[in-house]
Amino acid sequence: MGVGVFGRNHARVYQELERQGEAVRLVGVVDSDLDRADAVAREFGCRAFGSIEQMLTTHSEVRAASVAAPTVHHLEVARALMQKGVDVLIEKPLAASLAEADELVQLAATHKRIAQAGHLERFNPAVRATIPLLTQPMFFEVHRLSVFTPRSLDVDVVLDLMIHDLDIVLSFANSPVKEVRAVGLPILSGKVDIANVRLEFESGCVANFTASRVSTERVRKLRFFQPQQYVSVDYGRQEVLVFTVGGDGATSGAPTVNPQIKVAKPTVTSEEPLHAELKSFLQAVRQRSTPVVPLEDGRRSLALALDIVAAIREHGKKVGLAGLAKAKS
Ligand SMILES: NC(=O)c1ccc[n+]([C@@H]2O[C@H](COP(=O)([O-])OP(=O)(O)OC[C@H]3O[C@@H](n4cnc5c(N)ncnc54)[C@H](O)[C@@H]3O)[C@@H](O)[C@H]2O)c1
């Protein structure tokens, strides 16, 4: 549903999964822009529809769908699908407001639907390879920098890009957020294009995030420290590096002149995250099991992103940054 830039990728991957023998058949794509739906349907060998009603009248057998319309339309599109008994994967950010996110959670419960939030990086093989390494992360440093493209400019960089990392760190830190400090600036779009955020968790863990969509380079890295360990995750290269301090000094706390630092590179089997995400969604649909990223997780990340947007505005007001007090999330 919604086959713009990102929805087209969903159609492509569903078709790939079908060709690879997965028990799935891409029957159609829906877009309010029928020309767009036609073009994508032709590309991936399925039918094009201008509305969900049209599609479900022709294909009442449809069981699952991806919702990749603009975020402001997620609720209306997902509601129409869930009310007709269709399971949904809803792109991130889950919704435009917490009230809408709550309604989505409620709809899934009422209609007993499998509903997944589209937090793609959870399916990044480098992130998956990191989960077994987690002990007691105390400090995260996260960078997500991209070059400017005139896309997704209806939301600021926190809801567009940083939300990916917020979701990952929330799942890694496993503790409620105690404090949010944030600064952000509109550079090219009129919305916040670059932001730096410091979170403190109840556990004492601290996380720093920088997200930019006006950078000259492309970086997507998450690094964290935990006792005796430093772990570096490169989302783009799908690589993980683990530095572990060994020897007596490390365990006794005494200063060590020549600490033994072991470097390990866990095996990461490369896979397109969207491929892994849709496969996992389809498995949850078939098994009627809770998806890896339930809607509640999408709501949690959205709530934090909205708190950050408010903190940025507050900071802008305090220091008299022109444009920020007016800019909407
Ligand atoms: N997971 C990721 O990494 C990622 C990346 C990019 C975008 N997204 C998300 O995907 C969603 C779409 O983003 P995009 O960049 O593809 O946007 P886009 O503007 O390129 O495409 C949106 C499409 O939806 C169609 N549409 C609008 N209203 C509709 C409706 N009511 N019913 C059906 N179709 C409708 C439009 O005609 C358009 O073709 C957004 O929520 C965005 O945040 C996620």
Side-chain angles (χ1 to χ4, degrees), residues 58-71:
T58 319
H59 288 288
S60 58
E61 77 277 19
V62 168
R63 287 287 159 267
S66 288
V67 177
T71 305

Side-chain angles (χ1 to χ4, degrees), residues 48-118:
F49 299 96
S51 73
I52 292 167
E53 293 66 33
Q54 272 175 19
M55 183 192 66
L56 291 178
T57 309
T58 319
H59 288 288
S60 58
E61 77 277 19
V62 168
R63 287 287 159 267
S66 288
V67 177
T71 305
V72 288
H73 298 297
H74 285 181
L75 173 59
E76 72 181 74
V77 173
R79 184 200 285 126
L81 289 164
M82 288 197 269
Q83 282 174 343
K84 295 282 184 187
V86 179
D87 296 326
V88 288
L89 183 148
I90 308 172
E91 263 307 335
K92 56 80 341 222
L94 180 58
S97 69
L98 280 190
E100 289 184 6
D102 286 338
E103 195 174 339
L104 284 167
V105 171
Q106 194 52 52
L107 280 162
T110 307
H111 298 284
K112 299 192 169 44
R113 288 302 96 209
I114 303 298
Q116 179 167 331

Side-chain angles (χ1 to χ4, degrees), residues 2 39 45 48 62 84 111 134 139 159 185 191 226 240 243 253 264 272 275 277 303 316 321-322 324:
V62 168
K84 295 282 184 187
H111 298 284
L134 291 164
F139 171 47
L159 285 149
L185 290 169
K191 300 261 167 139
Q226 56 190 7
V240 183
F243 299 79
E272 182 182 355
H275 193 271
E277 179 183 55
L321 275 179
L324 257 187

Side-chain angles (χ1 to χ4, degrees), residues 1-7 30-33 36 67-71 73-74 76-77 91-93 118 120 151-152 159-160 164:
M1 311 295 133
V3 277
V5 175
F6 210 66
V30 178
D31 200 294
S32 46
D33 173 350
R36 177 72 193 164
V67 177
T71 305
H73 298 297
H74 285 181
E76 72 181 74
V77 173
E91 263 307 335
K92 56 80 341 222
L120 191 61
R151 287 195 44 232
S152 300
L159 285 149
D160 178 18
H164 286 291

Side-chain angles (χ1 to χ4, degrees), residues 200-248:
E200 193 173 326
F201 293 86
E202 296 283 356
S203 64
C205 173
V206 164
N208 288 320
F209 300 81
T210 301
S212 165
R213 56 185 178 196
V214 288
S215 180
T216 51
E217 52 177 348
R218 199 170 149 73
V219 177
R220 285 186 288 153
K221 279 190 176 174
L222 174 144
R223 287 166 270 216
F224 64 90
F225 290 85
Q226 56 190 7
Q228 272 91 53
Q229 249 176 5
Y230 162 61
V231 181
S232 173
V233 181
D234 188 320
Y235 294 107
R237 290 170 165 271
Q238 301 194 351
E239 272 177 15
V240 183
L241 280 178
V242 187
F243 299 79
T244 308
V245 182
D248 287 348

